[in-house]
């Protein structure tokens, strides 16, 4: 890897984001901004519109070697066969991914591949996403990969086409926010609780226009998987980019993965990665501090990820909100959710549980859920969907699948599944679902379905009791 | 891309915060081919009942808002999924501009690239716009992109910010890929210099 293009005599202290940005700047255009080079372009079925655009313009894929694809959004989770998908449009969109990637010479982890999985789970798992790289995908949760110290962001179909054609994107440098997470999370309080607490604090639009770097003792103490969860939901706070400075834990995590550098290249890479962390006195446009030690297990009550409170709290009262349009929005959310102000969160009765997604479908998530469920019986129908086939394999080697099945949960193949339901895994109309995924939007898990976001351990507790219980006390 | 210069239209009040792209275009329609048009699915669950009948209480089903080309939204419009289909769906029902206090970052980019003008105005001006809509049924707005102004039939006028490059592309209907192809030499130089892993 080349050294940072820092002019001699430059002394302005730079942030992690500044360094990643400078390292990938192909050129500056007086009005178009920075042309950023893309090191890793990850694709899923949603790339179809991007390929169609490219085809209309008669352009080839410029760097198929830097592009990787997987089928996740429409992947059936009860078997691995495209032919058995009963909805034609879903069958076609998966087949189109195979056809498009095959024609362009792009590596595809298709349904039959043992390393298939959700794009944001397999990127880090395979060593495709690495510190110091730029990573894009036509999916808003691409911020996930920033947990390794990469500049990673989600884009739309036109920008997918632009990146396929040129391996670059025009970007304007965003403002920068740093969130200091001091103290330590209590046992059984998860990264998911932390990010829900952050979004509740800054709001679903609080990070709009910013890149967010997470730092502090609580972040350093998080596992890489916890950091991936933290960065994953950065988009739910409105920011396209989430970042954590790479450290020894990151290097240990990355080492030996299928696409990670080896030998001399590994040593060179680690040396350059060590220089990425934000310098002392690097300037941020906004700084926020949150004591992770005060965070309790969180559960959402509304239809935005910003609508969360402690499991020990109550549904808030919208009439206390001064702004009339905001008050109306929150009342509407409560009406949709079938809840009333003041109701204890622990009294909400659930119908269904979903454990999985790019937020919480990693092995540590499954371990946390299994720990709660071991030797007990669920009272609700529940689906466990590993984030990748490799996660599934590890879980089975540890006997977690047994724990889930013995508790009465369904054990599936990997995919996005009930996070967005594009593969047909949906809750029934009007049902209330405890979900480890990232979005509680209206209709997200099916028409009139009510989604409550929470951590894997909390979702497991809901499966056992039919309502939420503080997992730190159970 | 469809060029955008000047537009006069009835403005639709959609004063909800955090309208996400799942609501603008529900996920279950994303496997449909783009060529068939996403208009019937735009705001599907807000606009129609499960059986396909219109919901009379939804603003886009009311006169004089049917077919209007400008939405006046709340804050954080277009948050959530990066699906560009949300922009196509709005365009397919005739929407050419959305005015809001803030937008989801990815939606904002997607809109500009496709010729749907996203205009952000500060909270105070948004409240004036919404008050104008309450006072005058069928209030129209006139948007002048070159001058970066929004004027209402009620007599209010606001300036709005927009990135110079995106403004240029919108006014000219300029395609971003065609623009970048001019710089392929710089991209090759970068690749030779950096040798990415």
């Amino acid at each position: 890897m080349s050294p940072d293009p820092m002019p001699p005599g430059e002394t302005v202290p730079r942030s992690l984001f500044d360094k990643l940005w400078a390292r990938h700047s192909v050129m500056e255009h007086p009005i178009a901004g920075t042309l950023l080079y893309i090191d890793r372009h990850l694709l899923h079925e949603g790339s179809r519109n991007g390929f169609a655009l490219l085809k209309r313009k008669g352009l080839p894929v410029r760097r198929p070697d830097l592009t990787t694809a997987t089928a996740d959004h429409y992947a059936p989770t009860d078997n691995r066969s495209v032919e058995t998908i009963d909805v034609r449009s879903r069958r076609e969109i998966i087949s189109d991914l195979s056809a498009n990637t095959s024609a362009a010479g792009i590596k595809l982890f298709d349904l039959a591949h043992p390393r298939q999985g959700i794009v944001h789970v397999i990127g880090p798992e395979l060593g495709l996403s690495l510190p110091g790289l730029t990573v894009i995908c036509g999916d808003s949760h691409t911020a996930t990969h920033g947990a390794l110290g990469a500049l990673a962001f989600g884009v739309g179909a036109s920008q997918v086409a632009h990146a396929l054609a040129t391996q670059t994107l025009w970007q304007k440098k965003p403002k920068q926010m740093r969130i200091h997470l001091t103290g330590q999370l209590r046992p059984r309080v998860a990264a998911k609780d932390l990010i829900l607490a952050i979004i509740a604090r800054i709001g679903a639009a609080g990070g709009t226009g910013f890149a967010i770097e997470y730092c502090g003792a609580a972040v350093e103490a998080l596992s890489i998987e916890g950091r991936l969860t933290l960065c994953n939901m950065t988009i739910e706070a409105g920011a396209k980019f989430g970042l954590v400075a790479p450290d020894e834990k990151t290097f240990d995590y990355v080492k030996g993965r299928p696409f990670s550098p080896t030998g001399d290249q590994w040593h060179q890479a680690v040396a350059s990665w060590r220089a990425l962390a934000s310098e002392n006195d690097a300037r941020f446009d906004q700084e926020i501090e949150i004591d992770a030690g005060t965070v309790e297990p969180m559960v959402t009550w509304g239809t935005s990820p910003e609508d969360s409170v402690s499991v020990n709290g109550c549904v808030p009262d919208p009439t206390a909100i001064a702004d009339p349009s905001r008050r109306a929005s929150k009342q509407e959310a409560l009406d949709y959710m079938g809840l009333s102000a003041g109701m204890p969160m622990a009294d909400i009765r659930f119908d269904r549980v979903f454990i999985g997604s790019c937020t919480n479908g990693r092995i540590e998530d499954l371990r946390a859920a299994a720990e709660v469920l071991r030797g007990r019986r669920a009272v609700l129908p529940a689906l466990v969907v590993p984030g990748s086939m490799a996660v599934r394999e590890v879980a089975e080697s540890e006997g977690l699948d047994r724990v889930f099945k013995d508790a009465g949960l369904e054990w599936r193949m990997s995919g996005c599944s009930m996070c967005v339901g594009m593969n047909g895994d949906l809750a029934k109309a009007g049902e209330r679902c405890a979900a480890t995924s990232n979005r509680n939007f209206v209709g997200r898990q099916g028409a009139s379905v009510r989604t409550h976001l929470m951590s894997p351990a909390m979702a497991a507790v809901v499966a056992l009791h039919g309502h939420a219980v503080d997992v730190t006390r159970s | 891309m469809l060029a955008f210069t000047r537009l006069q239209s009835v403005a639709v009040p959609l004063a909800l915060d955090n309208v996400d792209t799942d609501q603008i275009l529900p996920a279950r329609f994303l496997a449909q081919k783009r060529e068939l048009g996403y208009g019937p699915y735009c705001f599907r669950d807000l606009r129609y009942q499960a059986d396909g009948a219109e919901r009379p209480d939804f603003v886009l089903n009311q006169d004089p808002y049917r077919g209007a080309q400008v939405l006046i939204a709340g804050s954080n419009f277009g948050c959530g999924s990066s699906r560009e289909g949300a922009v196509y769906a709005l365009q397919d029902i005739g929407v050419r501009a959305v005015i809001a206090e803030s937008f989801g970052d990815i939606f904002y980019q997607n809109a500009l690239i496709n010729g749907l003008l996203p205009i952000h105005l500060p909270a105070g001006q948004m409240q004036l716009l919404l008050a104008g809509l309450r006072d005058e049924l069928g209030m129209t707005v006139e948007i002048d992109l070159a001058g970066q102004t929004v004027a209402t039939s009620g007599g209010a006028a606001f300036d709005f910010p927009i990135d110079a490059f995106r403004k240029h592309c919108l006014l000219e209907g300029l395609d971003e890929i065609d623009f970048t192809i001019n710089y392929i030499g710089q991209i090759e130089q970068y690749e030779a210099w950096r040798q990415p892993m």
Side-chain angles (χ1 to χ4, degrees):
Chain A
M1 191 177 286
S2 308
D4 288 342
M6 171 131 65
E10 179 73 72
T11 54
V12 178
R14 296 184 307 162
S15 67
L16 166 61
F17 189 83
D18 292 332
K19 295 179 197 182
L20 293 170
W21 189 272
R23 190 177 277 202
H24 292 91
S25 166
V26 171
M27 61 174 284
E28 297 290 333
H29 184 278
I31 65 163
T34 305
L35 190 62
L36 277 186
Y37 196 77
I38 306 305
D39 296 319
R40 295 286 183 272
H41 189 175
L42 307 177
L43 304 172
H44 57 64
E45 302 94 310
S47 60
R48 181 166 66 180
N49 284 327
F51 277 108
L53 243 157
L54 207 64
K55 201 170 183 178
R56 279 208 295 282
K57 301 185 78 66
L59 292 167
V61 175
R62 180 175 164 78
R63 293 295 300 266
D65 56 322
L66 301 182
T67 312
T68 311
T70 187
D72 56 10
H73 280 65
Y74 295 88
T77 56
D78 49 358
N79 73 78
R80 295 282 87 174
S81 149
V82 185
E83 290 72 34
T84 59
I85 300 173
D86 54 359
V87 180
R88 196 177 108 191
S89 60
R90 290 185 198 145
R91 228 173 23 243
E92 281 176 356
I93 199 167
I94 295 184
S95 307
D96 283 358
L97 179 69
S98 301
N100 284 328
T101 50
S102 158
I106 293 167
K107 183 157 186 56
L108 168 68
F109 294 91
D110 64 8
L111 289 181
H113 199 286
R115 300 310 296 257
Q116 176 273 345
I118 306 174
V119 67
H120 310 306
V121 175
I122 70 166
E125 190 174 81
L126 291 169
L128 286 165
S129 321
L130 295 168
L133 299 188
T134 44
V135 181
I136 66 154
C137 177
D139 188 284
S140 61
H141 291 105
T142 310
T144 309
H145 312 259
L148 300 175
L151 197 160
F153 57 106
V155 297
S158 298
Q159 289 183 310
V160 166
H162 189 282
L164 287 171
T166 68
Q167 204 57 31
T168 63
L169 284 176
W170 292 103
Q171 293 283 302
K172 294 274 161 74
K173 202 171 175 186
K175 292 180 287 182
Q176 296 185 56
M177 181 188 295
R178 181 158 59 178
I179 301 185
H180 300 259
L181 297 162
T182 62
Q184 290 301 325
L185 286 175
R186 292 182 297 127
R188 288 194 163 186
V189 180
K192 179 62 159 289
D193 300 306
L194 190 54
I195 186 65
L196 285 173
I198 291 168
I199 299 166
R201 161 90 173 267
I202 72 172
T208 302
F210 286 94
I212 299 180
E213 180 179 342
Y214 302 97
C215 69
V219 179
E220 287 160 29
L222 276 182
S223 67
I224 297 303
E225 300 208 341
R227 296 178 192 177
L228 289 164
T229 300
L230 189 65
C231 288
N232 173 275
M233 284 187 66
T234 301
I235 187 74
E236 260 56 72
K240 270 200 314 191
F241 310 87
L243 294 151
V244 175
D247 59 11
E248 296 305 318
K249 247 185 213 176
T250 318
F251 310 145
D252 286 347
Y253 174 90
V254 165
K255 193 169 188 182
R257 298 199 174 258
F259 293 96
S260 289
T262 53
D264 281 351
Q265 280 193 331
W266 169 259
H267 296 293
Q268 283 167 29
V270 172
S272 88
W273 296 341
R274 280 188 210 286
L276 283 173
S278 291
E279 289 156 30
N280 290 336
D281 307 324
R283 210 187 65 78
F284 289 83
D285 300 280
Q286 197 174 340
E287 306 228 22
I288 287 168
E289 191 175 304
I290 293 174
D291 178 359
T294 64
V295 173
E296 301 199 353
M298 303 293 279
V299 177
T300 60
W301 52 265
T303 54
S304 162
E306 73 183 13
D307 302 334
S308 72
V309 291
S310 158
V311 59
N312 302 305
C314 294
V315 176
D317 184 0
T319 60
I321 301 171
D323 175 41
S325 105
R326 194 174 148 76
R327 184 167 63 230
S329 286
K330 295 306 177 193
Q331 186 55 55
E332 191 147 325
L334 280 189
D335 294 345
Y336 178 82
M337 295 299 286
L339 300 173
S340 46
M343 181 178 182
M345 292 301 289
D347 286 356
I348 300 170
R349 310 299 304 193
F350 287 83
D351 304 301
R352 189 175 291 278
V353 174
F354 167 63
I355 297 172
S357 84
C358 62
T359 309
N360 282 129
R362 298 183 184 81
I363 189 65
E364 286 182 10
D365 300 315
L366 302 192
R367 285 178 190 144
E371 187 196 340
V372 172
L373 290 162
R374 194 178 298 276
R376 305 173 77 178
R377 274 303 283 185
V379 297
L380 297 180
L383 204 60
V384 186
V385 183
S388 70
M389 291 308 275
V391 167
R392 183 179 149 99
E393 199 182 316
V394 175
E396 292 186 345
S397 76
E398 296 178 6
L400 305 186
D401 59 322
R402 266 284 122 224
V403 175
F404 293 129
K405 286 188 257 188
D406 288 349
L409 280 64
E410 280 187 67
W411 177 243
R412 294 287 184 89
M413 314 275 180
S414 70
C416 300
S417 183
M418 264 184 78
C419 175
V420 64
M422 288 169 166
N423 69 339
D425 292 350
L426 290 166
K428 296 197 181 95
E431 279 188 336
R432 193 178 290 287
C433 182
T436 66
S437 45
N438 38 57
R439 288 181 178 151
N440 50 350
F441 295 161
V442 169
R444 173 88 173 170
Q445 291 190 298
S448 71
V449 172
R450 294 148 170 173
T451 303
H452 295 261
L453 306 177
M454 59 191 77
S455 74
M458 285 294 294
V461 157
V462 170
L464 290 177
H465 298 278
H467 64 94
V469 171
D470 185 343
V471 74
T472 66
R473 298 183 194 170
S474 74
Chain B
M1 182 179 84
L2 200 56
F4 190 110
T5 50
R6 189 180 275 273
L7 173 72
Q8 186 170 21
S9 164
V10 167
V12 185
L14 190 70
L16 294 169
D17 292 337
N18 300 325
V19 171
D20 54 78
T21 55
D22 274 77
Q23 284 182 64
I24 301 170
L25 179 63
R28 61 187 186 276
F29 304 115
L30 284 173
Q32 317 268 3
K33 292 230 161 86
R34 164 82 183 105
E35 302 85 88
L36 301 174
Y38 287 163
Y41 317 126
C42 187
F43 292 120
R44 174 65 180 74
D45 298 331
L46 290 166
R47 246 166 101 205
Y48 303 106
Q49 294 165 2
D51 63 6
E54 279 190 357
R55 289 181 186 276
D57 57 341
F58 186 58
V59 67
L60 283 171
N61 293 332
Q62 297 164 359
D63 288 326
Y65 302 120
R66 273 178 210 280
Q69 294 174 289
V70 178
L71 285 187
I72 313 292
S75 69
N76 205 25
F77 184 84
C79 60
S81 164
S82 62
R83 67 189 67 162
E84 200 161 298
V87 172
Y88 310 153
L90 287 167
Q91 291 182 308
D92 289 353
I93 63 164
V95 174
R96 302 274 345 257
V98 182
I99 306 179
E101 188 184 324
S102 58
F103 293 88
D105 282 348
I106 302 176
F107 175 87
Y108 188 81
Q109 287 291 320
N110 288 342
L112 288 169
I113 289 170
N114 286 283
L116 173 73
L117 178 63
I119 296 176
H120 55 84
L121 294 179
Q125 295 183 4
M126 288 304 299
Q127 275 163 19
L128 285 173
L129 263 184
L130 288 166
L133 282 161
R134 277 193 293 274
D135 294 345
E136 181 191 344
L137 184 73
M139 184 184 88
T140 61
V141 295
E142 185 167 4
I143 299 167
D144 172 17
L145 176 58
Q148 297 181 214
T149 57
V150 179
T152 75
S153 51
F158 312 108
D159 295 328
F160 65 86
I162 184 168
D163 175 79
F165 175 59
R166 295 299 171 186
K167 176 180 171 180
H168 172 73
C169 291
L170 280 169
L171 286 170
E172 304 292 327
L174 183 65
D175 180 289
E176 204 182 1
I177 296 178
D178 293 341
F179 175 83
T180 311
I181 296 295
N182 297 320
Y183 299 101
I184 217 77
Q186 277 89 335
I187 297 170
E188 285 168 352
Q189 271 176 21
Y190 177 90
E191 285 175 326
W193 168 71
R194 180 132 177 286
Q195 297 286 331
M197 286 184 298

